[in-house]
Coordinates of all heavy atoms in Angstrom, one line a residue:
T1 N 92.9 127.6 100.4 CA 91.4 127.6 100.6 C 90.7 128.2 99.4 O 89.4 128.2 99.5 CB 91.1 128.4 101.9 OG1 91.5 129.8 101.7 CG2 91.7 127.7 103.1
G2 N 91.4 128.8 98.4 CA 90.7 129.3 97.3 C 91.6 130.2 96.5 O 92.8 130.3 96.7
G3 N 91.0 131.1 95.7 CA 91.7 132.0 94.9 C 91.1 132.2 93.5 O 89.9 131.7 93.3
A4 N 91.7 132.9 92.6 CA 91.2 133.1 91.3 C 92.3 133.1 90.3 O 93.5 133.4 90.7 CB 90.4 134.4 91.3
F5 N 92.0 132.9 89.0 CA 93.0 133.1 87.9 C 92.2 133.8 86.8 O 91.0 133.6 86.6 CB 93.6 131.8 87.5 CG 92.6 130.7 87.0 CD1 92.4 130.5 85.6 CD2 91.9 129.9 87.9 CE1 91.6 129.6 85.2 CE2 91.0 128.9 87.4 CZ 90.9 128.8 86.1
E6 N 93.0 134.6 86.1 CA 92.4 135.4 85.0 C 93.3 135.6 83.9 O 94.5 136.0 84.1 CB 91.9 136.8 85.5 CG 91.1 137.6 84.5 CD 90.6 138.8 85.1 OE1 90.4 138.9 86.3 OE2 90.4 139.8 84.3
G7 N 92.9 135.2 82.6 CA 93.7 135.4 81.4 C 92.8 135.5 80.2 O 91.6 135.4 80.3
D8 N 93.4 135.7 79.1 CA 92.7 135.9 77.8 C 92.1 134.6 77.3 O 91.0 134.7 76.8 CB 93.6 136.5 76.7 CG 94.0 137.9 76.9 OD1 93.3 138.6 77.7 OD2 95.0 138.3 76.3
R9 N 92.7 133.5 77.6 CA 92.2 132.2 77.1 C 91.5 131.4 78.2 O 90.7 130.4 77.8 CB 93.3 131.4 76.6 CG 93.9 132.1 75.3 CD 95.1 131.3 74.7 NE 96.2 131.5 75.6 CZ 97.3 130.8 75.5 NH1 97.4 129.7 74.7 NH2 98.3 131.1 76.3
L10 N 91.7 131.7 79.4 CA 90.9 130.9 80.5 C 91.0 131.7 81.8 O 92.0 132.4 82.1 CB 91.4 129.5 80.7 CG 92.8 129.3 81.3 CD1 92.8 127.9 81.9 CD2 93.9 129.4 80.2
S11 N 89.9 131.7 82.5 CA 89.8 132.3 83.8 C 88.9 131.5 84.7 O 88.1 130.6 84.2 CB 89.2 133.7 83.7 OG 89.9 134.5 82.9
G12 N 88.9 131.7 86.0 CA 88.1 130.9 86.9 C 88.5 131.1 88.3 O 89.2 132.0 88.8
Q13 N 88.2 130.0 89.1 CA 88.5 130.0 90.5 C 89.4 128.8 90.9 O 89.4 127.8 90.3 CB 87.2 130.0 91.4 CG 86.4 128.8 91.1 CD 85.1 128.8 92.0 OE1 85.1 129.2 93.0 NE2 84.0 128.2 91.4
V14 N 90.2 129.1 91.9 CA 91.0 128.1 92.5 C 90.1 127.4 93.7 O 89.5 128.2 94.5 CB 92.3 128.6 93.2 CG1 93.1 127.5 93.9 CG2 93.1 129.3 92.1
L15 N 90.0 126.1 93.6 CA 89.1 125.4 94.5 C 89.8 125.2 95.9 O 91.0 125.0 95.9 CB 88.5 124.2 93.9 CG 87.8 124.3 92.6 CD1 87.4 122.9 92.1 CD2 86.5 125.2 92.8
D16 N 89.0 125.1 96.9 CA 89.4 124.8 98.3 C 90.0 123.4 98.2 O 89.5 122.5 97.6 CB 88.3 124.8 99.2 CG 88.6 124.6 100.7 OD1 89.8 124.7 101.0 OD2 87.7 124.3 101.4
G17 N 91.1 123.2 99.0 CA 91.7 121.8 99.2 C 93.1 121.6 98.6 O 93.6 120.6 98.8
G18 N 93.7 122.6 98.0 CA 95.0 122.5 97.5 C 96.0 122.6 98.6 O 95.7 122.9 99.8
S19 N 97.2 122.3 98.4 CA 98.3 122.4 99.4 C 99.6 122.8 98.8 O 99.9 122.5 97.6 CB 98.4 121.1 100.2 OG 98.8 120.0 99.3
D20 N 100.4 123.4 99.6 CA 101.7 124.0 99.2 C 102.7 123.4 100.3 O 102.8 123.9 101.4 CB 101.6 125.5 99.3 CG 103.0 126.2 99.0 OD1 103.9 125.4 98.8 OD2 103.0 127.4 99.1
W21 N 103.4 122.3 99.9 CA 104.4 121.7 100.8 C 105.7 122.4 100.5 O 106.2 122.4 99.5 CB 104.5 120.2 100.4 CG 103.3 119.4 100.9 CD1 102.0 119.6 100.6 CD2 103.4 118.2 101.7 NE1 101.3 118.7 101.2 CE2 102.0 117.8 101.9 CE3 104.4 117.6 102.3 CZ2 101.7 116.7 102.7 CZ3 104.1 116.4 103.1 CH2 102.8 116.0 103.2
Q22 N 106.2 123.1 101.6 CA 107.4 123.9 101.5 C 108.5 123.2 102.3 O 108.2 122.7 103.4 CB 107.2 125.3 102.0 CG 106.2 126.1 101.2 CD 106.0 127.5 101.7 OE1 106.7 127.9 102.6 NE2 105.2 128.2 101.0
L23 N 109.7 123.3 101.8 CA 110.9 122.8 102.5 C 111.9 124.0 102.5 O 112.3 124.4 101.4 CB 111.5 121.6 101.7 CG 112.6 120.9 102.5 CD1 112.2 120.3 103.7 CD2 113.4 119.9 101.5
L24 N 112.1 124.4 103.7 CA 113.1 125.5 103.9 C 114.5 124.8 104.0 O 114.7 124.1 105.0 CB 112.8 126.3 105.1 CG 111.7 127.3 105.0 CD1 110.3 126.6 104.8 CD2 111.6 128.2 106.2
R25 N 115.3 125.1 103.0 CA 116.6 124.4 103.0 C 117.6 125.2 103.8 O 117.4 126.4 104.2 CB 117.1 124.4 101.6 CG 116.2 123.6 100.7 CD 116.8 123.3 99.3 NE 117.5 124.4 98.7 CZ 117.9 124.4 97.4 NH1 117.7 123.4 96.6 NH2 118.5 125.4 96.9
R26 N 118.7 124.6 104.1 CA 119.8 125.1 105.0 C 120.4 126.3 104.3 O 121.0 127.2 105.0 CB 120.8 124.1 105.4 CG 120.2 123.1 106.4 CD 121.0 121.9 106.7 NE 120.3 121.0 107.5 CZ 119.5 120.0 107.1 NH1 119.1 120.0 105.8 NH2 118.9 119.2 108.0
D27 N 120.3 126.5 103.0 CA 120.9 127.6 102.3 C 120.0 128.8 102.3 O 120.3 129.9 101.7 CB 121.3 127.2 100.9 CG 120.1 126.9 100.0 OD1 119.0 127.0 100.4 OD2 120.4 126.7 98.8
G28 N 118.8 128.7 103.0 CA 117.9 129.8 103.1 C 116.8 129.9 102.0 O 115.9 130.7 102.1
S29 N 116.9 129.0 101.0 CA 115.9 129.0 100.0 C 114.7 128.1 100.4 O 114.8 127.2 101.2 CB 116.5 128.6 98.6 OG 117.0 127.3 98.8
T30 N 113.6 128.3 99.8 CA 112.4 127.6 100.0 C 112.0 126.9 98.8 O 111.8 127.5 97.7 CB 111.2 128.5 100.5 OG1 111.6 129.2 101.7 CG2 109.9 127.7 100.7
L31 N 111.8 125.5 98.8 CA 111.3 124.7 97.7 C 109.9 124.5 97.9 O 109.4 124.3 99.0 CB 112.0 123.4 97.7 CG 113.5 123.3 97.4 CD1 114.0 121.9 97.4 CD2 113.9 124.0 96.2
L32 N 109.1 124.7 96.8 CA 107.7 124.6 96.8 C 107.3 123.3 96.1 O 107.8 123.0 95.0 CB 107.0 125.8 96.1 CG 107.4 127.2 96.6 CD1 106.8 128.2 95.7 CD2 107.0 127.4 98.0
D33 N 106.2 122.7 96.5 CA 105.6 121.5 95.9 C 104.1 121.7 96.0 O 103.6 121.4 97.1 CB 106.1 120.2 96.5 CG 105.6 119.0 95.7 OD1 104.8 119.1 94.8 OD2 105.9 117.9 96.2
V34 N 103.4 122.1 95.0 CA 102.0 122.6 95.1 C 101.1 121.8 94.2 O 101.5 121.4 93.1 CB 101.9 124.1 94.7 CG1 100.5 124.6 94.8 CG2 102.8 124.9 95.7

């Protein structure tokens, strides 16, 4: 739904509408696709 980023060369806001598709694998790890 939002957020922010800050660095020496660029800063700003994370806009609403992104998504984080997660897959919890049988080995206990989580794969992210954002």
Side-chain angles (χ1 to χ4, degrees):
T1 60
F5 62 98
E6 186 174 334
D8 290 341
R9 295 178 284 163
L10 70 158
S11 297
Q13 63 182 321
V14 177
L15 300 177
D16 184 18
S19 62
D20 178 359
W21 287 54
Q22 297 184 0
L23 186 67
L24 284 67
R25 299 190 317 191
R26 289 171 186 83
D27 67 359
S29 61
T30 301
L31 296 182
L32 309 171
D33 184 0
V34 179

